[in-house]
Amino acid sequence: MTLTYSKNGIEIKTKESNDDVAVTEVVEGPLHTVTVTAKKDITLISYKQSSHWAMNANDTKFWNGYQSWTDTREIKGNFVERDVRNIFGPALKFWKFDRYGDSHIYDYSKNKLHGYDFFYAFGNDCRISYSLNAENAFLIYSYNKEKNSLILYSDVEGKSLKKGESFQVLKYKTFTTIYEAKKAFEEDFPKKDLAKIFGYTSWYNYYQNISEDIILRDLEGLDERFNLFQIDDGYETFVGDWLEVDGKKFPNGLEPILEAIKKKGYRAGIWLAPLVAERKSRLFIEHPEYFKKDEDGSYCSCGSNWSGFYALDLENEEVWKYIEKCLTYYKDMGFSFFKLDFLYAASRAEYKGKTRAEMASYAYKRLRNILGGSIILGCGATIGQAANVFDYLRIGPDISLSFDDVWYMRKMHRERISTKVTLQNTIFRHFMNKRLFGNDPDVFLLRDDNIKLSKTQKEAIIIIDAIYGQLLMNSDNLSEYDEEKKELLNRALDIFYHAQDRSHKVDGDIIEITYKLNGRAEKLLYSTSKGVFVHGR
């Protein structure tokens, strides 16, 4: 092991306990725990530990992405992770593509692969591991392709310890058989009683260009099979000004729409990004003191969406009073489903004395406390910290209206919009469903206008979402569906509610998906390169 910390401003590395710190490792069967106890006042910088696990370059390895939108996949053989820092400098500075992912945490290299909190490798040997330390630190599994070695990193950067204080830097389990791993995982993450949700969201047809007329028209087109109608981004004047509904788009406010939703018997949902606000918002203009600053004194940017947006200061109680006021306003109005987005902002900024995981865990739990028994769908959130806090979690990036977005976006950040990526995430993160949270695979789209997805690609999206999702969401005007689309939707709903025993196997760019439906064994071959189901191999 190597522990790096600072004392009196001096960086120190040690491979064992010393006069400043005691490092204690306890191994109890598959459980490994490492605790650091300060003998003097120190600040942790990093902790890494060799796994000594047998690795083979041709093993199939699972790499879980940093947050909801980060590409997640099984990889066999050679692969190079996209390092956002390789984007042309001025473009990176202007668009801030490095603010969505983990380049501020992890040192990318073409010779390394890495993932967060969950890892497995299958080949001549089997190795399965997962973290039980999400409240304290991200656990990063980092594989060196040249050395065939796996290092475990605990992201403890910034954690301050006073003399006598202890901190758990690692707590994970590791197994060499699937049976043992599955049994332990199901004990550590008991199955959740989560309802299936079939719903509508306004985003993927109109984006921010919604209005009262559009919302009411699409609401009218839904039938009794739906149980959720969620208003997405675009109702507010600016992101962050949640209490200022755009009067031009919604001249009567949201209350009449809410009543119309309830009249149809649906749960009413609303979208907010409570931990950020955009540069043009009244909140930013009038309360700049609400926003977190980086060490250089600039506001902590989280990306380039809208007019650019910044992280709120989560150590400022006035900020939390504002967040609570906004969320409570919509809760009291009658909304009972909250899609909370861009939640990675909690771990984007650096907070003195706290790890990034501690801040994310703190923020997510505080949001839960504010909303109480309301249903929360997290989005753009770090995975381990969202577990057992949010009811549902988005487990892939936004789908695009074409299969893999435009060519230049394919060279951008790992959190980019992509139907190709989100379908892979839906399959590879399926084991999290109803254990950590209910999986939200994003929407299916069957319409013909305002879309570049082919008929067969749209079929693959709805079927894969139905097989693996706990939510099945749509953004179409269903009154325009022809008989063929209605039949496909009926087929997907049967799968959504009745599929069991899901599994997958990867062979190159083909994923073999198997499941049982109404007592029958079903198999599909999905082409990740084309986004369609294929026949034969």
Side-chain angles (χ1 to χ4, degrees):
M1 73 91 178
T2 301
L3 173 68
T4 306
Y5 62 93
S6 65
K7 183 185 71 172
N8 299 325
I10 300 173
E11 185 174 307
I12 301 169
K13 290 187 177 183
T14 183
K15 295 184 178 295
E16 57 187 11
S17 300
N18 58 26
D19 292 339
D20 299 326
V21 64
V23 182
T24 305
E25 181 173 11
V26 177
V27 180
E28 300 173 305
L31 179 63
H32 297 245
T33 307
V34 178
T35 304
V36 170
T37 302
K39 299 178 181 178
K40 299 175 183 177
D41 292 355
I42 61 172
T43 299
L44 304 182
I45 297 175
S46 67
Y47 178 89
K48 67 177 181 179
Q49 177 178 293
S50 298
S51 70
H52 303 297
W53 301 343
M55 289 285 118
N56 187 295
N58 291 320
D59 288 348
T60 295
K61 303 178 186 69
F62 171 73
W63 304 110
N64 184 47
Y66 165 62
Q67 55 121 314
S68 295
W69 308 331
T70 311
D71 59 322
T72 294
R73 65 184 74 204
E74 287 181 1
I75 295 171
K76 184 176 181 179
N78 192 33
F79 179 80
V80 177
E81 289 177 336
R82 182 168 300 284
D83 184 353
V84 69
R85 294 169 300 183
N86 291 333
I87 296 175
F88 179 56
L92 184 63
K93 184 177 180 180
F94 181 80
W95 294 109
K96 296 179 171 55
F97 289 128
D98 58 335
R99 305 306 172 97
Y100 300 91
D102 66 343
S103 62
H104 61 301
I105 298 174
Y106 184 77
D107 185 21
Y108 278 74
S109 166
K110 65 180 180 180
N111 295 318
K112 294 191 295 184
L113 298 171
H114 76 291
Y116 286 77
D117 293 332
F118 302 91
F119 171 80
Y120 57 77
F122 299 141
N124 293 330
D125 297 301
C126 171
R127 189 69 63 172
I128 304 168
S129 179
Y130 56 86
S131 175
L132 294 169
N133 198 41
E135 291 188 357
N136 287 342
F138 298 126
L139 172 55
I140 303 174
Y141 298 90
S142 180
Y143 173 63
N144 187 306
K145 292 185 282 187
E146 291 184 331
K147 298 180 180 179
N148 257 346
S149 63
L150 190 74
I151 301 293
L152 277 61
Y153 288 91
S154 179
D155 177 42
V156 296
E157 184 179 6
K159 180 63 179 177
S160 295
L161 296 176
K162 296 290 186 182
K163 180 179 178 180
E165 289 184 337
S166 297
F167 187 71
Q168 186 173 273
V169 298
L170 278 180
K171 184 179 181 181
Y172 68 95
K173 287 185 177 179
T174 182
F175 303 89
T176 55
T177 71
I178 296 174
Y179 172 78
E180 291 176 317
K182 184 175 185 294
K183 181 180 179 182
F185 183 77
E186 291 176 353
E187 291 174 352
D188 290 325
F189 299 94
K191 193 172 184 179
K192 302 180 185 302
D193 184 17
L194 293 170
K196 291 273 190 177
I197 293 179
F198 178 40
Y200 168 96
T201 176
S202 58
W203 182 247
Y204 291 98
N205 200 345
Y206 315 105
Y207 297 96
Q208 283 193 307
N209 299 318
I210 56 175
S211 68
E212 179 178 306
D213 290 342
I214 288 173
I215 293 296
L216 290 176
R217 183 197 67 199
D218 280 12
L219 174 63
E220 184 61 29
L222 306 184
D223 59 38
E224 69 281 354
R225 294 175 298 178
F226 283 80
N227 50 30
L228 170 70
F229 189 96
Q230 181 237 313
I231 302 170
D232 214 283
D233 186 11
Y235 66 90
E236 77 288 357
T237 53
F238 293 100
V239 169
D241 297 337
W242 307 113
L243 303 182
E244 299 181 18
V245 174
D246 190 322
K248 293 182 179 179
K249 297 178 181 178
F250 297 90
N252 299 303
L254 298 183
E255 289 89 345
I257 295 175
L258 178 65
E259 290 306 311
I261 295 170
K262 290 183 174 182
K263 188 175 181 179
K264 292 205 69 167
Y266 306 150
R267 184 181 292 274
I270 194 164
W271 174 94
L272 300 95
L275 305 184
V276 301
E278 65 174 302
R279 184 172 54 84
K280 289 184 178 180
S281 67
R282 183 191 296 271
L283 186 69
F284 180 70
I285 294 169
E286 295 184 355
H287 291 284
E289 73 278 8
Y290 283 8
F291 292 80
K292 182 69 175 173
K293 289 186 177 181
D294 288 328
E295 289 185 356
D296 62 3
S298 62
Y299 291 104
C300 180
S301 171
C302 294
S304 58
N305 298 62
W306 311 292
S307 58
F309 65 109
Y310 305 111
L312 291 167
D313 184 353
L314 302 182
E315 291 184 325
N316 185 333
E317 279 303 311
E318 293 301 313
V319 166
W320 280 108
K321 288 179 183 178
Y322 177 73
I323 293 172
E324 182 170 4
K325 180 180 180 181
C326 294
L327 293 176
T328 302
Y329 174 78
Y330 288 105
K331 180 182 176 184
D332 290 347
M333 186 187 294
F335 288 95
S336 58
F337 180 98
F338 289 80
K339 179 181 176 183
L340 305 183
D341 211 345
F342 292 84
L343 297 178
Y344 64 88
S347 49
R348 178 64 190 85
E350 294 183 8
Y351 289 87
K352 189 175 182 180
K354 299 288 198 311
T355 67
R356 299 176 181 92
E358 281 184 306
M359 286 307 300
S361 182
Y362 164 74
Y364 297 175
K365 288 179 179 179
R366 194 149 182 182
L367 292 171
R368 163 54 72 194
N369 288 338
I370 292 170
L371 287 171
S374 301
I375 294 177
I376 300 177
L377 164 62
C379 190
T382 51
I383 307 300
Q385 295 66 44
N388 299 316
V389 178
F390 302 143
D391 303 282
Y392 302 89
L393 191 78
R394 182 73 157 276
I395 40 80
D398 282 15
I399 74 162
S400 50
L401 300 184
S402 58
F403 178 57
D404 199 20
D405 213 340
V406 294
W407 67 268
Y408 53 83
M409 283 303 298
R410 298 172 204 160
K411 301 181 180 297
M412 300 302 172
H413 52 307
R414 295 178 61 192
E415 294 71 31
R416 68 186 178 87
I417 294 171
S418 171
T419 300
K420 177 180 181 178
V421 172
T422 204
L423 286 174
Q424 292 177 186
N425 279 32
T426 297
I427 296 168
F428 294 137
R429 280 178 166 167
H430 79 272
F431 68 91
M432 300 176 182
N433 190 41
K434 299 187 76 173
R435 296 291 174 180
L436 279 66
F437 33 66
N439 282 11
D440 170 24
D442 209 13
V443 303
F444 70 89
L445 304 169
L446 300 182
R447 66 178 186 265
D448 297 317
D449 62 309
N450 185 31
I451 198 166
K452 295 181 180 179
L453 291 162
S454 70
K455 177 180 176 180
T456 49
Q457 287 171 337
K458 287 183 282 189
E459 177 192 15
I461 294 169
I462 190 173
I463 297 302
I464 290 174
D465 286 2
I467 292 170
Y468 291 110
Q470 198 66 15
L471 277 75
L472 189 63
M473 300 292 289
N474 177 260
S475 286
D476 294 340
N477 179 359
L478 265 69
S479 65
E480 298 177 349
Y481 277 13
D482 57 24
E483 289 304 314
E484 185 177 19
K485 292 180 177 61
K486 290 177 182 178
E487 184 178 339
L488 178 54
L489 176 56
N490 288 337
R491 174 187 162 203
L493 285 171
D494 187 27
I495 294 171
F496 180 58
Y497 287 112
H498 302 117
Q500 296 177 322
D501 300 335
R502 305 155 186 83
S503 65
H504 73 272
K505 183 170 63 177
V506 179
D507 182 10
D509 66 347
I510 300 296
I511 301 177
E512 179 183 291
I513 299 169
T514 57
Y515 61 97
K516 288 184 179 178
L517 181 65
N518 302 322
R520 302 188 311 273
E522 303 284 352
K523 182 173 75 172
L524 296 168
L525 299 178
Y526 171 67
S527 168
T528 60
S529 61
K530 298 178 180 178
V532 300
F533 296 127
V534 297
H535 303 282
R537 179 61 174 156

